[in-house]
Amino acid sequence: MSNDTDTPPASTAEAQIDQRLERARDRIRDTAADALVLFPSTNLAYLSGFHEEPMERHLFLFVTADDAVFLAPTMYDTQLAAETPISDIRTWDDGDDPTALLARLGDDLGIESGRLLVDDRMWARFTQDLRETFPEATFGLASHLLDDLRIRKDDRELDHLRAAATVADNVSTAIRSLGADAIGLTETELAAEIERRLSAAGGSGVSFETVVGSGPNGARPHHRHTDRTIRRGDPVVLDFGTVVDGYPSDQTRTVVFDGDPPAGFEDAHAAVLAAQKAAVRTVEPGVEAQEIDHAARTVLDERGYGDHFIHRTGHGVGLEVHEPPYITDGNDLELEPGMVFSIEPGVYLDDEFGIRIEDLVVVTDEGCERLNRSPRTWEPVTDVDD
């Protein structure tokens, strides 16, 4: 799978950005806000098509009800012109005082005493500069406006998420087919092999640090990987993903590569699988997010494992691998078509083993579509489980 092949024509990408900007402007008009002030982040990429890592230089995107303006170092002038349809780019040179340009821009946009919604990921030094430059302004978080726009994925976004899920599925199936060949590898060695295969299959890097939790390490939900050697009979939690066209995958399987699993493992794995299936069956438009969590938790409670399910059932996935909606008790958000999230119940028995089974799903008009189709059983088989 080639990222070059998947990249849409410029006109298509520009039209998508224009549509997103117009929706953001509509939200600004409907609220008490005067401007969004975005920093290098997924929010900035979502509204501009420009991807960059945070840095020490001042780089902002201002979006008002009528305008979209970049303030950026001169070194980004050509890059911004090539990567975003936003044409109003105000630049500053190293050695200049960027806050002076910031003040002029605020005056031009008429926002110096307005309500500014600042990127949630903006570094403190830059929020401080905004406060000092616009002492009469009030401040809020950009997520209060943008989360509602980003939470429903459009068709192109769903295509990218499906592609990333397919890469992860293919690697998951290939890794579990290692069988006895995985015995004797360290967790770190197996993680490196997973990451090598993700890249070879068309992925771009990893969505997050790969999790390989063998034996008792699997009982730690956020364990990454260590030099512990994988042994016969070890349950191994494999949680990984890659990125395709800026969108990540995220799936988890628990596998016993060779030998007999420990006592109690098969029953616990069956319980987790049943909990995941119950949660997936609950997904449809109009259902509250917390009901998905309740469905999984009810099964594990009934099977005697409720006290060992110690995290939420899922999280949204989009430009970030963790974003709204969060599938947890207390979230009464009603699901809508286009929302994408994980369903990942787990059971964790201290000093013994852990089990987690995770798929991404997208809410459809009538229910949901699983984005992951790799085997969910614990045996090292290669057939696809629908």
Side-chain angles (χ1 to χ4, degrees), residues 101-135:
L101 182 58
L102 184 63
R104 290 197 296 274
L105 178 57
D107 184 61
D108 290 346
L109 296 176
I111 60 172
E112 62 272 22
S113 60
R115 175 75 171 167
L116 307 183
L117 301 184
V118 176
D119 202 307
D120 299 45
R121 301 293 179 87
M122 187 179 290
W123 290 355
R125 62 166 294 189
F126 297 113
T127 60
Q128 186 64 23
D129 281 348
L130 287 169
R131 290 180 182 276
E132 291 179 354
T133 303
F134 307 123

Side-chain angles (χ1 to χ4, degrees), residues 272-339:
V272 173
L273 184 57
Q276 203 223 23
K277 289 179 177 178
V280 171
R281 285 195 300 267
T282 306
V283 178
E284 63 180 30
V287 171
E288 293 181 355
Q290 64 183 347
E291 292 305 312
I292 313 305
D293 182 81
H294 295 169
R297 212 165 291 279
T298 296
V299 171
L300 291 176
D301 284 341
E302 291 173 349
R303 300 285 289 265
Y305 295 102
D307 290 343
H308 301 286
F309 180 21
I310 53 178
H311 54 72
R312 65 194 174 201
T313 294
H315 55 85
V317 176
L319 282 171
E320 295 185 80
V321 77
H322 284 191
E323 63 179 45
Y326 295 104
I327 309 304
T328 186
D329 184 47
N331 186 359
D332 60 2
L333 175 73
E334 292 188 0
L335 301 181
E336 298 179 35
M339 292 182 177

Side-chain angles (χ1 to χ4, degrees), residues 144-161:
H144 294 164
L145 188 150
L146 289 178
D147 279 358
D148 187 55
L149 298 183
R150 289 179 51 179
I151 200 169
R152 290 173 297 279
K153 276 55 182 180
D154 61 32
D155 289 343
R156 282 191 56 240
E157 290 180 293
L158 293 176
D159 285 344
H160 298 328
L161 288 163

Side-chain angles (χ1 to χ4, degrees), residues 366-380:
E366 298 179 351
C368 77
E369 169 195 351
R370 285 190 196 248
L371 300 186
N372 298 104
R373 296 173 57 83
S374 61
R376 300 178 190 94
T377 55
W378 59 266
E379 300 92 346

Side-chain angles (χ1 to χ4, degrees), residues 54-368:
M55 59 177 172
E56 76 281 4
R57 291 182 172 92
H58 292 67
L59 193 162
F60 301 121
L61 171 63
F62 285 77
V63 179
T64 71
D66 301 303
D67 298 290
V69 182
F70 267 104
L71 185 153
T74 301
M75 61 188 290
Y76 285 95
D77 192 13
T78 302
Q79 188 176 349
L80 284 167
E83 296 182 18
T84 176
I86 297 171
S87 59
D88 193 343
I89 302 170
R90 318 277 179 99
T91 60
W92 59 275
D93 295 323
D94 286 345
D96 291 343
D97 177 8
T99 60
L101 182 58
L102 184 63
R104 290 197 296 274
L105 178 57
D107 184 61
D108 290 346
L109 296 176
I111 60 172
E112 62 272 22
S113 60
R115 175 75 171 167
L116 307 183
L117 301 184
V118 176
D119 202 307
D120 299 45
R121 301 293 179 87
M122 187 179 290
W123 290 355
R125 62 166 294 189
F126 297 113
T127 60
Q128 186 64 23
D129 281 348
L130 287 169
R131 290 180 182 276
E132 291 179 354
T133 303
F134 307 123
E136 297 181 12
T138 60
F139 293 85
L141 293 177
S143 59
H144 294 164
L145 188 150
L146 289 178
D147 279 358
D148 187 55
L149 298 183
R150 289 179 51 179
I151 200 169
R152 290 173 297 279
K153 276 55 182 180
D154 61 32
D155 289 343
R156 282 191 56 240
E157 290 180 293
L158 293 176
D159 285 344
H160 298 328
L161 288 163
R162 290 187 185 101
T166 297
V167 172
D169 275 347
N170 291 341
V171 172
S172 177
T173 300
I175 286 294
R176 49 192 302 142
S177 72
L178 290 173
D181 290 342
I183 305 305
L185 296 177
T186 67
E187 294 173 345
T188 297
E189 288 171 337
L190 185 55
E193 178 64 12
I194 289 169
E195 292 169 11
R196 183 191 70 78
R197 290 177 183 245
L198 289 171
S199 178
S204 177
V206 293
S207 310
F208 50 89
E209 187 176 355
T210 298
V211 172
V212 178
S214 62
N217 285 345
R220 305 167 184 168
H222 274 186
H223 176 82
R224 300 306 181 185
H225 48 78
T226 67
D227 290 333
R228 184 185 187 278
T229 299
I230 297 169
R231 306 165 191 172
R232 293 184 76 251
D234 272 347
V236 184
V237 176
L238 303 171
D239 185 352
F240 58 85
T242 189
V243 178
V244 172
D245 288 309
Y247 286 83
S249 52
D250 184 5
Q251 65 137 272
T252 309
R253 300 291 185 260
T254 304
V255 179
V256 177
F257 284 101
D258 190 44
D260 296 324
F265 171 80
E266 292 185 61
D267 183 72
H269 190 280
V272 173
L273 184 57
Q276 203 223 23
K277 289 179 177 178
V280 171
R281 285 195 300 267
T282 306
V283 178
E284 63 180 30
V287 171
E288 293 181 355
Q290 64 183 347
E291 292 305 312
I292 313 305
D293 182 81
H294 295 169
R297 212 165 291 279
T298 296
V299 171
L300 291 176
D301 284 341
E302 291 173 349
R303 300 285 289 265
Y305 295 102
D307 290 343
H308 301 286
F309 180 21
I310 53 178
H311 54 72
R312 65 194 174 201
T313 294
H315 55 85
V317 176
L319 282 171
E320 295 185 80
V321 77
H322 284 191
E323 63 179 45
Y326 295 104
I327 309 304
T328 186
D329 184 47
N331 186 359
D332 60 2
L333 175 73
E334 292 188 0
L335 301 181
E336 298 179 35
M339 292 182 177
V340 177
F341 50 85
S342 67
I343 296 181
E344 50 181 300
V347 163
Y348 307 94
L349 302 178
D350 289 343
D351 301 321
E352 296 185 51
F353 56 80
I355 301 164
R356 186 165 63 254
I357 302 172
E358 174 187 18
D359 290 322
L360 300 186
V361 301
V362 54
V363 182
T364 64
D365 290 336
E366 298 179 351
C368 77

